[in-house]
Amino acid sequence: MWALYFYTLLSLFAAAAINFSVAPDRFMEYIPFGIFFVLVAVAQVIVASLTLFRPYRRLIGFYFGGNALVLILWFVSLKVGLPVGPFAGRPEVLNVADTLIIALEVLSLLLSGLLLLRFPAARPKKPRLMLLKTIPGTLLIAIVVFIGTQTGLHGLPFAVNMGAGGMPGMNMSFSEIPMSSLVEKPGNEPIKRFTLVAKETRIHGQTFWTYNGQIPGPELRVNQGDRVIITLINDLPVGTSIHWHGLRLPNAEDGVAGITQNAVPAGSSYTYNFVVKDPGTYWYHSHQETFRQVPLGLYGDLIVEPKNANSNTYAHDYALIEGDANESSRQSTSHFAARPGELIRLRLTSAFQEDMTGTPEQLVLSGAPYQVVALDGHDINGPQTLGPELLPIGTGQRYDLVFRMPRSGQVALFDLRPKTGSKFTLQTWATLGEGAQPSVPDKSHLPTFDLASYGVPTTDTVADRASYDVTTDLTITNQVGFRDGMYQFLHMFNGKTSPYTDPIIVKEGQYVKLRFINHTNEYHPIHLHGHVFSVLSKNGKRITGSPIHLDSILVGPGETWEGAFLADNPGLWMIHCHVLVHAFNGLSTMVDYEGVTTPYVIGTKDGNFP
Ligand code: C2O
Ligand code: CU
Ligand code: CU
């Protein structure tokens, strides 16, 4: 009987603690909700304290009734939604803290019911002994309170505005640039139109999310200088968006949910419109719940052919993008036609997200000498001819290879990365031509391609500068902790996780140098939207070969890389690790041009989670 008292009160105090911890977020959602949660918590504390000192039957009755009322409210909000607040009429989605609050309130309801039935309770004869017996139960509730209050205090963001315009404490000597102004100006460029339907598709008995029913999505091939108009039709059950990875385009066309647009709701459509300035190999992918949507299949290649291209240069210009969904949906190697002696360009993109370490794919081209003519779509100056080497390609990165088909036999592209996350171990990405296939090379004898010393040096207006207007270090660390209402393997820039990292504030025309310092045992391909880095140095040593231009710099375990760019594209641009689980766990920040504002917010309010 004494234990009954004890646990009744304890569970009520515990529920109150978690109710307090979620109150700040509830206030942000809707002030009456915040007030309600505080009132419930205060009432729980008062009733439990009074009962502790003097267990009146009426008090326990009141306690039982109040608790039941609160639980009925919970039931309504979970089943049909409350009639008020920002999500009026929509059933609430349970998070960890809410679940624990409800569990404790149910427990306390049951216990107080029992208490009412057996009232008045006898006092224990040996309280000390009783106290000892309650240790395990108390510990259990203490753990529940710890998890509940931690997830409650570190909940999902409700509405975070990533704009750089009106941050408190900033000097407002600049004029505001609204997101809506950062669109492509009208012009008479040749127009290329595409429609991409995002939808659920069954392939080999498995459900994928695809563009136009295929994995990868259709290859979009355009010419430099084209105006590309793409309509996204969203037939998925959830919101989505499309980001044009690597392209320098107007910010409002960047496709990032919660920053440059709202996620396109299920059943709606959205049109992107931009002029492609730079030739090269790019790709597109969802940028809403990116961590979940990309591995399901929402990605494809976007190839921009150079304006003055001689169409006879290559007998074939092939593009291949591989990701988690390809392997399982295709279950076979790509084969490309090629005849002996033909000159081939092969554009390779990695969209893999399969494990936590971010270890790059290790591509090996076997069967012909080749050149790496471009990285991330940008030409290499004076690329040397290479034999089989391991080409490390981090997720998001691209390699363009050029080679001549041998007199006989195939050329094959292998991926020698040990697969840790995927059940599928397709070792061959592609074969070209006919005849005997080269055997899988022995990786232990192969050198690793190093972009820091490849090609021939030449001038680079960004890399050759003696000084930069903005210099920022981004130190990458990880540790476990509570975030987004969960216990996560946090990944941080300068000790903070998104969306609460410090943005890098720049002005148009500034030269910006970033240093990435990796204090983890993982690989981080750090990707900047809307700009191209000139790589400056790796581990403190300047690069010695061709200028290297990347939108994603692969920073290996313990490595330090420096990259610089000219801030010539006003907007709010994400910079994040392209290992999407790392970005999901916080490794994401912003390059914000001073004064740029956005009407969109990240968080549960509008359901934007880039
Ligand atoms: Cu390829 Cu922010 O993404
Ligand atoms: Cu991008
Ligand atoms: Cu990473």
Side-chain angles (χ1 to χ4, degrees), residues 177-229:
I177 308 167
M179 181 62 63
S180 56
S181 70
L182 299 173
V183 293
E184 199 69 79
K185 317 240 164 342
N188 47 12
E189 301 82 5
I191 293 178
K192 291 269 167 67
R193 280 180 202 279
F194 301 95
T195 300
L196 293 174
V197 183
K199 57 178 174 186
E200 280 185 342
T201 307
R202 297 279 293 174
I203 303 174
H204 297 298
Q206 235 185 305
T207 301
F208 293 93
W209 287 9
T210 68
Y211 294 118
N212 300 1
Q214 60 184 82
I215 294 175
E219 180 182 307
L220 309 182
R221 230 175 232 264
V222 298
N223 295 316
Q224 182 181 11
D226 282 350
R227 178 175 294 263
V228 186
I229 300 177

Side-chain angles (χ1 to χ4, degrees), residues 378-397:
H378 305 283
D379 288 354
I380 301 283
N381 186 56
Q384 290 93 1
T385 300
L386 301 171
E389 288 198 0
L390 294 169
L391 304 174
I393 180 169
T395 177
Q397 296 189 302

Side-chain angles (χ1 to χ4, degrees), residues 269-578:
S269 65
Y270 191 91
T271 300
Y272 297 93
N273 181 329
F274 51 86
V275 174
V276 284
K277 294 195 217 170
D278 304 309
T281 305
Y282 303 98
W283 62 301
Y284 59 94
H285 59 78
S286 161
H287 223 305
Q288 156 72 349
E289 295 194 281
T290 320
F291 163 60
R292 199 159 76 91
Q293 297 195 358
V294 171
L296 283 172
L298 293 176
Y299 52 81
D301 261 323
L302 171 56
I303 310 299
V304 184
E305 292 186 348
K307 205 174 247 152
N308 311 310
N310 177 350
S311 54
N312 300 321
T313 312
Y314 305 110
H316 299 281
D317 179 331
Y318 291 124
L320 186 57
I321 178 168
E322 286 282 357
D324 307 81
N326 293 56
E327 276 196 309
S328 29
S329 64
R330 187 159 46 80
Q331 295 173 326
S332 68
T333 298
S334 298
H335 179 73
F336 295 110
R339 279 200 291 271
E342 283 183 336
L343 192 66
I344 311 289
R345 185 178 185 121
L346 183 58
R347 302 165 183 267
L348 306 169
T349 304
S350 169
F352 276 107
Q353 297 295 336
E354 60 181 349
D355 81 4
M356 193 68 212
T357 66
T359 305
E361 307 303 308
Q362 297 178 313
L363 304 181
V364 181
L365 189 82
S366 187
Y370 61 93
Q371 294 167 309
V372 177
V373 296
L375 291 171
D376 282 3
H378 305 283
D379 288 354
I380 301 283
N381 186 56
Q384 290 93 1
T385 300
L386 301 171
E389 288 198 0
L390 294 169
L391 304 174
I393 180 169
T395 177
Q397 296 189 302
R398 287 89 65 210
Y399 275 74
D400 284 25
L401 308 181
V402 166
F403 52 90
R404 199 169 284 287
M405 290 300 293
R407 275 163 203 259
S408 70
Q410 289 186 324
V411 169
L413 181 73
F414 300 103
D415 184 352
L416 301 188
R417 166 165 134 61
K419 293 286 193 273
T420 48
S422 163
K423 349 186 238 297
F424 300 93
T425 51
L426 195 65
Q427 256 197 331
T428 318
W429 276 28
T431 52
L432 296 101
E434 302 308 322
Q437 186 186 317
S439 55
V440 181
D442 175 359
K443 168 166 136 172
S444 59
H445 295 122
L446 294 179
T448 298
F449 174 78
D450 185 7
L451 59 79
S453 58
Y454 183 64
V456 175
T458 181
T459 54
D460 178 316
T461 51
V462 174
D464 296 345
R465 292 184 67 82
S467 68
Y468 293 86
D469 306 305
V470 177
T471 303
T472 301
D473 282 0
L474 290 172
T475 301
I476 302 164
T477 54
N478 55 24
Q479 73 184 55
V480 290
F482 288 93
R483 179 174 165 272
D484 283 355
M486 285 180 285
Y487 191 62
Q488 291 188 340
F489 192 24
L490 305 178
H491 281 68
M492 292 168 291
F493 277 131
N494 298 342
K496 296 182 181 176
T497 55
S498 64
Y500 308 112
T501 44
D502 300 317
I504 298 155
I505 307 285
V506 303
K507 292 193 190 88
E508 191 170 359
Q510 286 183 324
Y511 285 88
V512 183
K513 177 166 117 177
L514 302 181
R515 183 191 290 132
F516 306 107
I517 305 161
N518 182 358
H519 284 173
T520 72
N521 294 323
E522 303 161 329
Y523 290 82
H524 307 287
I526 304 297
H527 169 55
L528 172 61
H529 287 211
H531 299 76
V532 181
F533 285 117
S534 288
V535 176
L536 304 181
S537 72
K538 171 186 178 183
N539 296 332
K541 273 191 266 157
R542 279 200 80 85
I543 65 163
T544 57
S546 163
I548 300 289
H549 300 128
L550 303 176
D551 55 66
S552 308
I553 299 182
L554 180 62
V555 187
E559 289 180 351
T560 295
W561 289 72
E562 285 177 313
F565 64 91
L566 169 62
D568 61 355
N569 194 3
L572 305 172
W573 302 99
M574 270 189 130
I575 173 167
H576 61 90
C577 180
H578 222 283

